[in-house]
Amino acid sequence: MSLDLDTVDLICGCLDGVSALLSCSLTCHAFREIAARRLLRLRPIILLDERSIRSFFAFLTASPESRSVHVRSLALEVTDIEENHRTEVSGLVVTILRHCSCLESLRIPHGERTFSCLSHPLLVETIANLSQLQALSVEEWSGYTEQILLLTRAPLKTLRVSLRSIWTKGTHYMPSERLDEMIGRFSPTLQVLDIRKRVVRFQTGGVQYPAIRSVHLYGIEGPPSIDALAHMFPYLCDTLDLGDVDDALVDATAEQLRVRRLNKELQASGVRWQKLGVVVGDPLTLYMLGLMCPVERLMINSFCTHLKTGLATILCDTPPTHLKLTILLGHGVSVFEDLFPPEVVPRLTHLVLVVLYDNFGGDDRIDDFTMSSIQWPAFLDMLIDSIKHLRLTHFRLVVYYDIDVADDPATRLIPYSKTFIRNMRSHEPRSLAAALMDAVPSLRYVFLTFGGQFETMVDGPEEHGTVYSTAVVRGRWMQSSGWEPESEAGSGVQRQERQSVKRLAEDKVEMVLGDEKLGLSERDQRTLELHQQWSAEETAPWEPAT
């Protein structure tokens, strides 16, 4: 029995997995070509270097009419091309882009490093002429960013862009009216806006972006204004990432209160969003913004003891179902006292706590004795006591230390607790998971991640009679586990004896973390350096000299 090619195409169209499509492509020549087209539609093409560019160019041009129109997503991740090959290779990239007339997503994550390797005079124009483009990402600094934004006419739905290179008249920040000049033409279609590497000063008025559902900011210059934000993004409903607070407002208590009152009055008069799926920000920005709309998932960065009153106010304003709270432990374990007000209890079911312990000394409020006397058992007792009144079903705990032990007279390093780190590294995850489930009987899942690193200096090679020191990481480690009650019948009721727990398989851990929205903020991921590749020397067991 033989099948016509249209039927074969329909069969391949039902296959979503890459492995299934690859197996299908081995069946016969007709299946191979149809499966290749399907893969081109499903998977992003990543061009890393000269070899991958030449290989994909050869593949594409072997059958340009039947292959190029199926390419949907392309990433230019090139950072190094031999000098004498750059003209030729960049010409191949221009040809690839011209052939891929149905390209919907283009990502250039390394910005100027990529453009310096692919210096073809028509590259920017070719990118701007991609008429079907829906998602554009230039996440790092590039001198071509402004030109690309001004020339692009495609109806973009997603824009991730570093604004660092965009010229502004005498300001370090990006005025919102200048931002409108760059991206205002995309206002009818733009749904996701992600601004990198530059803060924005928002002003009431200007272009509105009615299609935007998610906005990610690097930070806000000046106080946050619900009036300006709600005007610019009137139908925001998915994600509001506010970035970092303006440093000038950190100790301006009277100004914080004034801004909060004004934002509250405006929202009471109707200047507000209906609801938000995810809100990300630091405690001061969230306190000043004073959101009154329902928030499903609240992600709070950089919380410490002296911000406790503001945190309680934020949680009372918009009690979430999902909360991610990053705690700076340098002020001591008292940060956990009365951490969660009673108002959060009825709604909060999913809690992620990220606890960071470092000795860099950037906060004058940190006391050397408190920092150096923190003990692991007291830390766990205070943490468990802070959540035992909650009705959590899912709890994730991440504890991470970053200790600088370099002997540098120019840097003030706070003494740290060696026993805290030693006990943390030798802790037993199973017993901690059981203790948490005993304290919070409603828990169905507990996820634990512990890790850390030391930073020190080592002598590099001698140059012209001088030995230069280099900062390095040593003793890097990370350990994760997931747990559930041994007996489902025991979950959610008061137990008479200590709960026994069983460890989850790694694939189930990943599935539950994703399905239950227990992820970390982008800032947390950068702090923990989760996507960094580590060498054997960096991850080998290591102890600082006493």
Side-chain angles (χ1 to χ4, degrees), residues 228-249:
L229 290 169
H231 171 84
M232 196 168 187
F233 313 114
Y235 299 107
L236 193 70
C237 59
D238 289 339
T239 301
L240 172 62
D241 187 342
L242 295 159
D244 293 333
V245 67
D246 188 331
D247 289 341
L249 295 166

Side-chain angles (χ1 to χ4, degrees), residues 8 78 161 324 360 389-390 413 452 462 470:
V8 173
V78 182
V161 61
K324 191 284 304 182
F360 301 145
H389 66 295
L390 302 177
L413 298 178
E462 184 176 325
T470 304

Side-chain angles (χ1 to χ4, degrees), residues 220 224 242-246 281-290 314:
I220 297 176
L242 295 159
D244 293 333
V245 67
D246 188 331
D282 61 78
L284 285 182
T285 303
L286 292 170
Y287 172 78
M288 287 186 285
L289 194 58
I314 294 166

Side-chain angles (χ1 to χ4, degrees), residues 454-482:
F454 293 101
E455 298 183 32
T456 188
M457 303 291 289
V458 298
D459 290 340
E462 184 176 325
E463 296 182 15
H464 308 293
T466 302
V467 176
Y468 294 96
S469 296
T470 304
V472 296
V473 168
R474 292 291 183 264
R476 166 81 186 192
W477 68 286
M478 193 75 73
Q479 178 189 84
S480 296
S481 59

Side-chain angles (χ1 to χ4, degrees), residues 223-224 254-264 288-289:
E255 177 66 2
Q256 294 168 18
L257 185 58
R258 184 196 68 80
V259 172
R260 175 179 168 80
R261 286 174 176 168
L262 177 59
N263 283 326
K264 284 286 192 181
M288 287 186 285
L289 194 58

Side-chain angles (χ1 to χ4, degrees), residues 198-322:
R198 202 163 184 184
V199 298
V200 178
R201 177 181 282 275
F202 291 95
Q203 295 182 348
T204 305
V207 176
Q208 287 191 299
Y209 297 81
I212 281 188
R213 299 297 180 261
S214 295
V215 61
H216 304 259
L217 302 173
Y218 187 69
I220 297 176
E221 173 72 15
S225 166
I226 192 70
D227 194 19
L229 290 169
H231 171 84
M232 196 168 187
F233 313 114
Y235 299 107
L236 193 70
C237 59
D238 289 339
T239 301
L240 172 62
D241 187 342
L242 295 159
D244 293 333
V245 67
D246 188 331
D247 289 341
L249 295 166
V250 169
D251 295 315
T253 305
E255 177 66 2
Q256 294 168 18
L257 185 58
R258 184 196 68 80
V259 172
R260 175 179 168 80
R261 286 174 176 168
L262 177 59
N263 283 326
K264 284 286 192 181
E265 291 170 2
L266 288 167
Q267 290 176 86
S269 69
V271 182
R272 58 191 293 181
W273 297 293
Q274 293 299 311
K275 64 176 181 178
L276 292 169
V278 183
V279 174
V280 187
D282 61 78
L284 285 182
T285 303
L286 292 170
Y287 172 78
M288 287 186 285
L289 194 58
L291 289 173
M292 296 171 64
C293 64
V295 175
E296 177 185 358
R297 186 178 173 203
L298 187 60
M299 308 183 81
I300 303 177
N301 297 320
S302 306
F303 169 73
C304 49
T305 301
H306 66 277
L307 299 173
K308 193 178 292 185
T309 302
L311 175 68
T313 303
I314 294 166
L315 295 177
C316 292
D317 283 345
T318 53
T321 58
H322 294 59

